[in-house]
């Protein structure tokens, strides 16, 4: 089988890239070892974070670092045995999170985020997936006045610099919006621009159907079988070998299975995360997406139930699950909202691929023709899928990308 392009990885990044290639008339084969959207893209918080112009940095305050070192928090957890293997990544991540460097990175990162809603909107409409989208923003909730006031000041700065819209909520306004929350909170910060997704996996599948309507196809295969050919690239699938001029590596945290054998040693870390779905007690209703800002967990009203998500776990990518953050988060969440029984047999775990400068790797491989990279989106994979997919498709098709991708180019690293 021959095609114009192969996309390796059927998460939201790969699916979005395949859609944009198919829309431009390219014959494209989307290859994954599992079904579309069944890995990291399955279990996210369901937020298209238009407000997320500043990527998540590594704490700089010594006191905060020491508190994280105790390893008893919800928002971060680490495997002690994994520290030697992730130390190089963490040290560069910490270095890039310095205040001055972080500001420069945020400026370079912002154009991706600024187009996130518009690019999703185009695909949502084309895929007839509007029933999966809510356009009501999301809310951070605060336990102390100090935390609230500090976050509102930062929101004001982001509004001035990036044109973001937000609303400050006092305790009464928060209670009016979420009457089944406890009275532990002094107020909230409502971000108005973001969209939320009631079924992230369903949205990925809707985009796959859109790709297929434009002539693209889906195949199960092993990305590690990728080989260069005289005219491009080939990969083995369950139905045989597929050959194409161009190949896109959109394998998220597993991208090294392809990049390393080809001689590219990207410094990519992994932030693992967990979720669980719950029913509710006493007919309680959660009206929107809320994050307990001082504790570091999020509650989201999904199709499958109330989804509780945790922060970041620093561990070896394929180490066994250790959902201690989820246990801590559940205990805390039950004190502020009437969660019912667990609805899943076990905790879900995903792995977010993160670069040390907090920006994704997007663009042409420096030493191979027809090889393209699209991975490393950290916490914003869902948010940036369509933006990345369009930019990569435009580059492959010889068009000028609609955004400047220079800051995300692969050769910014020593590879």
């Amino acid at each position: 089988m021959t095609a114009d392009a192969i996309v390796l990885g059927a998460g939201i990044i790969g699916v979005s890239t395949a859609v944009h290639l198919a829309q431009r008339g390219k014959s494209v084969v989307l290859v994954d070892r599992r079904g579309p959207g069944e890995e990291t893209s399955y279990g996210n918080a369901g937020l298209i974070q238009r407000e997320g112009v500043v990527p998540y940095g590594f704490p700089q305050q010594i006191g905060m670092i020491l508190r994280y070192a105790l390893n008893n928090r919800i928002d971060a957890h680490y495997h002690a045995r994994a520290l030697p293997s992730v130390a190089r990544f963490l040290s560069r991540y910490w270095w890039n999170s310095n205040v001055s460097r972080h500001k420069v990175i945020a400026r370079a990162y912002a154009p991706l985020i600024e187009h996130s809603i518009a690019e999703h909107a185009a695909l949502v409409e084309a895929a007839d997936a509007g029933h999966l989208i809510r356009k009501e923003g999301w809310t951070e909730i605060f336990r102390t006045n100090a935390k609230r006031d500090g976050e509102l000041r930062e929101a004001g700065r982001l509004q001035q610099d990036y044109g973001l819209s937000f609303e400050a909520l006092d305790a009464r306004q928060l209670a009016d919006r979420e009457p089944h929350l406890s009275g532990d909170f002094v107020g909230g910060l409502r971000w108005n621009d973001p969209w939320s997704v009631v079924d992230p996996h369903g949205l990925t599948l809707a985009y796959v159907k859109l790709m297929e309507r434009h002539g693209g196809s889906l195949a199960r295969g092993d990305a590690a079988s990728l080989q260069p050919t005289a005219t491009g690239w080939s990969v083995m699938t369950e139905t045989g070998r597929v050959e194409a001029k161009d190949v896109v590596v959109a394998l998220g945290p597993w991208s090294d299975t392809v990049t390393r054998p080809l001689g590219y040693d990207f410094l990519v870390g992994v932030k693992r995360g967990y979720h669980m779905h719950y029913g509710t007690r006493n007919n309680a209703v959660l009206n929107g997406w809320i994050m307990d800002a001082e504790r570091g967990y999020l509650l989201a009203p999904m199709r499958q139930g109330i989804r509780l998500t945790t922060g970041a776990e620093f561990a070896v990518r394929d180490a066994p699950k250790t959902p201690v953050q989820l246990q801590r988060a559940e205990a805390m969440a039950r004190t502020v909202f009437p969660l019912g029984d667990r609805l899943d047999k076990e905790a879900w775990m995903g792995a977010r691929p993160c670069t040390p400068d907090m920006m994704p790797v997007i663009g042409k491989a420096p030493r191979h023709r027809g090889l393209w990279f699209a991975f490393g989106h950290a916490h914003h994979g869902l948010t940036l899928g369509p933006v990345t997919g369009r930019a990569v498709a435009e580059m492959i098709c010889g068009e000028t990308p609609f955004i400047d991708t220079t800051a995300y180019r692969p050769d910014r690293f020593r590879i």
Side-chain angles (χ1 to χ4, degrees):
M1 181 179 177
T2 60
D4 293 321
I6 299 166
V7 177
L8 299 176
I12 190 65
I13 304 294
V15 168
S16 298
T17 303
V19 168
H20 276 285
L21 286 167
Q23 287 180 325
R24 285 161 175 76
K26 296 289 186 180
S27 58
V28 59
V29 180
L30 179 63
V31 178
D32 203 302
R33 63 185 179 182
R34 299 186 62 181
E38 292 185 1
E39 292 284 3
T40 308
S41 295
Y42 177 84
N44 55 65
L47 288 173
I48 302 172
Q49 288 191 258
R50 173 62 184 85
E51 91 296 344
V53 292
V54 178
Y56 296 100
F58 194 99
Q60 298 293 290
Q61 302 85 357
I62 295 299
M64 180 60 74
I65 293 173
L66 291 175
R67 286 194 289 275
Y68 280 116
L70 297 174
N71 213 20
N72 59 4
R73 298 175 63 91
I74 294 171
D75 55 345
H77 179 70
Y78 63 88
H79 289 187
R81 291 183 178 179
L83 289 181
S85 64
V86 301
R88 181 167 163 250
F89 164 76
L90 290 177
S91 65
R92 297 302 298 173
Y93 181 23
W94 172 83
W95 189 86
N96 280 308
S97 298
N98 170 274
V99 173
S100 60
R101 285 183 283 272
H102 196 227
K103 286 182 179 179
V104 173
I105 288 169
R107 284 290 180 186
Y109 187 71
L112 288 169
I113 296 291
E114 288 169 351
H115 290 86
S116 58
I117 296 294
E119 293 306 309
H120 264 288
L123 295 191
V124 166
E125 181 178 5
D128 194 24
H131 60 288
L132 300 175
I133 303 297
R134 290 173 61 173
K135 304 177 183 180
E136 301 165 2
W138 70 282
T139 304
E140 298 180 57
I141 54 178
F142 307 112
R143 296 169 178 268
T144 64
N145 291 327
K147 180 68 172 177
R148 180 198 62 192
D149 295 345
E151 292 300 310
L152 287 174
R153 283 194 298 271
E154 176 64 8
R157 185 186 71 80
L158 295 179
Q159 183 180 61
Q160 183 176 4
D161 291 349
Y162 299 102
L164 299 174
S165 173
F166 73 93
E167 179 182 357
L169 305 177
D170 61 25
R172 172 53 58 190
Q173 291 169 322
L174 177 61
D176 288 343
R177 290 178 179 272
E178 296 291 353
H180 294 104
L181 279 181
S182 72
D184 294 330
F185 302 96
V186 300
L189 165 59
R190 184 174 183 82
W191 295 104
N192 295 319
D193 300 302
W195 287 3
S196 48
V197 185
V198 299
D199 183 355
H201 185 226
L203 185 66
T204 301
L205 295 180
Y207 288 175
V208 170
K209 290 181 180 178
L210 175 61
M211 175 201 71
E212 292 174 329
R213 289 206 301 270
H214 284 277
S217 60
L218 185 65
R220 287 194 182 237
D222 185 357
S225 68
L226 183 71
Q227 295 289 334
T229 68
T231 57
W233 300 88
S234 72
V235 67
M236 282 299 300
T237 72
E238 289 182 349
T239 56
R241 184 170 295 279
V242 179
E243 296 187 1
K245 176 185 175 184
D246 293 290
V247 62
V248 181
V249 179
L251 292 163
W254 297 277
S255 293
D256 62 348
T257 61
V258 170
T259 59
R260 188 163 291 143
L262 293 173
Y264 299 98
D265 186 18
F266 290 99
L267 182 58
V268 175
V270 170
K271 293 182 183 180
R272 306 199 313 179
Y274 297 85
H275 84 221
M276 174 63 68
H277 294 104
Y278 302 84
T280 63
R281 292 184 287 108
N282 303 322
N283 297 315
V285 175
L286 184 67
N287 291 315
W289 277 243
I290 59 170
M291 185 180 76
D292 188 341
E294 280 121 321
R295 298 295 184 266
Y297 65 89
L298 183 141
L299 292 170
M302 298 281 187
R303 274 181 165 181
Q304 296 157 285
I306 304 298
R307 180 175 291 184
L308 170 63
T309 69
T310 68
E313 180 182 66
F314 295 92
V316 175
R317 181 190 62 200
D318 299 322
K321 295 179 183 179
T322 52
V324 295
Q325 288 165 287
L326 183 66
Q327 295 165 8
R328 296 168 184 163
E330 179 181 324
M332 182 63 63
R334 287 189 181 280
T335 69
V336 301
F337 184 83
L339 292 176
D341 294 336
R342 288 187 168 197
L343 301 180
D344 304 323
K345 291 182 179 179
E346 62 177 339
W348 177 90
M349 184 191 77
R352 311 174 186 99
C354 308
T355 65
D357 67 1
M358 293 157 277
M359 293 189 292
V361 178
I362 301 173
K364 188 180 184 303
R367 297 191 299 274
H368 292 81
R369 293 185 61 183
L371 177 63
W372 305 84
F373 299 141
F375 57 84
H377 293 76
H379 296 262
H380 289 151
L382 174 62
T383 297
L384 298 179
V387 175
T388 301
R390 177 178 170 183
V392 173
E394 288 173 339
M395 286 187 276
I396 290 174
C397 293
E399 305 170 22
T400 300
F402 76 113
I403 58 172
D404 182 1
T405 60
T406 303
Y408 327 122
R409 68 191 189 281
D411 62 3
R412 73 184 190 269
F413 300 112
R414 294 180 180 178
I415 51 173

